[in-house]
């Protein structure tokens, strides 16, 4: 048995080495690059900087085609007869985006015999089966930092929208109503409220910094404690025990990646630990939450308000319960795809493609899967 196990490990090691050798360097010649983005339709021509859509194609079409590469761009990503499926077998690079995710499953990876590189135009590569990508010897990378400011600003906006009970007031105006009491009975100041972020990476830290002038009580839970100087500058307190932090918070913000460990983390039991009347902002990933548990808690009033731009799946089906639950301020996935963010992640994708063509390394922080290993945040 020991000999058999050793043989299997040796074969696995040899297979990995072979795939990694093709992964690290683009072979000479034309490459087939496929991009999957949302379609802008009539909005495409309204802003020349609108590059994150199908029509804008990240602004790299002329550059790629001038070098002899083939660039296919589509929004059609679902089902066996979609446009993406037609190109899986012979594409070398797939560019995806969290805002209109092409789910790169193990099945799709097995079909993609020429595939070497998966790039995320933005941040968050959980739409890729990362374990399958690692086992296949693929490189997965994203444009780290490209939209952290965009998302942090959006989170702050959503906190204020929920705290001040803004949506009902806006709807009154639209409907021609005027009922101050119907808004003010549950509108509060943000000052002196306790805000806790579950996850304090790049976005979480930026949010805490932006909350400091509001004179909130700031808490954070993360696998890594901040440097003491930064913690003191922000005025945030580290909470090692998440379950101990949750009932202290008036507002909870989700700022962690979607992993096997965090998928469905906020289920009925975890939500039950939250303070009654809590407000939740989630711009991280919809699948971190138990969909029905959130809807039920909003209906019962245990969650007094829920806002975010992330759903599972995406686009959200018309019968998704979050569309119809009370006290929600949901939008499509928009926080990280501002025009400014689009320009940053388009430039980042172009830079990584250029490195790929030249056989050069990407910036270290951009790797999500490299040489069979997952980045620490996904382990």
């Amino acid at each position: 048995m020991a000999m058999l196990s050793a043989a299997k490990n040796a074969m696995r090691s040899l297979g990995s080495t072979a795939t990694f050798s093709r992964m690290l360097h683009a072979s000479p010649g034309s490459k087939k690059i496929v991009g999957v983005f949302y379609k802008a339709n009539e909005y495409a021509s309204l802003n020349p900087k609108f590059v994150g859509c199908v029509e804008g194609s990240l602004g790299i079409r002329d550059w790629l085609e001038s070098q002899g590469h083939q660039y296919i761009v589509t929004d059609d990503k679902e089902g066996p007869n979609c446009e993406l499926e037609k190109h899986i077998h012979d594409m070398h690079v797939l560019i995806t985006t969290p805002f209109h995710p092409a789910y790169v499953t193990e099945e799709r990876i097995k079909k993609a015999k020429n595939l070497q590189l998966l790039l995320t135009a933005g941040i968050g590569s959980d739409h890729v089966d990362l374990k399958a990508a690692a086992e296949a010897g693929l490189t997965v990378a994203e444009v780290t930092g490209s939209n952290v400011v965009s998302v942090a600003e959006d989170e702050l906006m959503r906190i204020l929208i929920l705290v001040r009970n803004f949506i009902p007031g806006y709807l009154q105006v639209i409907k021609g109503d005027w009922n101050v009491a119907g808004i003010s009975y549950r509108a509060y100041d943000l000052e002196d409220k306790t805000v806790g972020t579950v996850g304090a990476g790049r976005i979480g830290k930026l949010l805490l910094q932006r909350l400091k002038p509001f004179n909130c009580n700031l808490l954070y839970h993360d696998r890594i404690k901040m440097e003491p100087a930064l913690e003191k500058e922000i005025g945030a307190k580290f909470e090692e025990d998440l379950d101990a932090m949750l009932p202290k918070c008036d507002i909870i913000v989700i700022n962690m990646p979607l992993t096997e460990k965090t998928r469905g983390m906020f289920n009925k039991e975890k939500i039950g630990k939250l303070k009654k009347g809590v407000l939740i902002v989630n711009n991280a990933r919809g699948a971190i939450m138990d969909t029905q548990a959130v809807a039920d808690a909003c209906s019962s009033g245990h969650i007094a308000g829920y806002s975010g731009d992330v759903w599972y799946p995406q686009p959200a089906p018309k019968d998704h319960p979050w569309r119809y639950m009370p006290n929600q301020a949901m939008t499509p996935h928009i926080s990280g795809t501002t025009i400014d963010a689009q320009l940053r992640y388009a430039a980042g994708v172009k830079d990584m493609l250029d490195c790929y063509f030249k056989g050069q390394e990407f910036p270290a922080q951009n790797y999500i899967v490299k040489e069979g290993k997952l980045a620490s945040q996904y382990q």
Side-chain angles (χ1 to χ4, degrees), residues 53-72:
C53 55
V54 167
E55 295 84 349
S57 302
L58 300 184
I60 58 175
R61 180 177 294 284
D62 290 346
W63 174 71
L64 287 172
E65 293 180 349
S66 71
Q67 299 183 64
H69 302 299
Q70 186 181 7
Y71 188 30
I72 308 294

Side-chain angles (χ1 to χ4, degrees), residues 284-295:
R285 288 295 181 264
I288 292 171
M289 318 300 289
D290 180 316
T291 298
Q292 194 58 51
V294 169

Side-chain angles (χ1 to χ4, degrees), residues 124-141:
S125 299
D126 47 86
H127 53 282
V128 177
D129 185 326
L130 296 176
K131 283 191 174 181
E135 289 170 2
L138 302 178
T139 295
V140 182

Side-chain angles (χ1 to χ4, degrees), residues 9 102 122 160 165 247 272:
N9 287 335
L160 289 167
N165 204 23

